[in-house]
Amino acid sequence: MLAPVPPAPEPAPLLREALGDALRGERRSRGRTLRDVAKSSQVSLAYLSEIERGQKEASSEIIASVCAALGITMFDLMASVARAYAAREGVKPVREAGVPCPVAMAA
């Protein structure tokens, strides 16, 4: 009798989904509405909603504008995304500056 095959691990979310989740979390933690942030960032309400839901791949200019409207830096946003991926994978989220990336060292 064959042993049962364990289920395949769930794939990591796409970057656009992780960015959207992080932007939504940052917006909500500040008590801001989607409409307010859309107006402040000069991004349409519909487009910002699609970004937050991970349905649109926003340009770096759009993401920077939304970050500015939220009062965060792109670094803050990317660090939030990195922490989410690290938590999902069960690894340390950030390495010290100047420490080579193990993946790059293996290449």
Side-chain angles (χ1 to χ4, degrees), residues 18-94:
L19 283 170
D21 287 343
L23 284 171
R24 182 184 304 111
E26 293 290 344
R27 177 179 59 77
R28 287 180 174 169
S29 74
R30 286 161 175 69
R32 305 272 304 272
T33 65
L34 194 61
R35 184 176 309 281
D36 173 47
V37 174
K39 184 176 181 180
S40 296
S41 63
Q42 298 183 337
V43 174
S44 79
L45 178 66
Y47 192 61
L48 182 55
S49 176
E50 290 176 316
I51 292 168
E52 283 193 0
R53 288 181 282 137
Q55 295 178 336
K56 293 291 181 183
E57 196 85 52
S59 70
S60 58
E61 290 87 356
I62 296 289
I63 294 171
S65 181
V66 174
C67 285
L70 290 170
I72 63 172
T73 66
M74 293 277 281
F75 179 83
D76 295 329
L77 179 65
M78 294 304 158
S80 178
V81 170
R83 284 190 299 274
Y85 273 115
R88 184 188 179 286
E89 298 296 321
V91 298
K92 282 181 67 174
V94 180

Side-chain angles (χ1 to χ4, degrees), residues 100-107:
C101 176
V103 174
M105 291 172 54

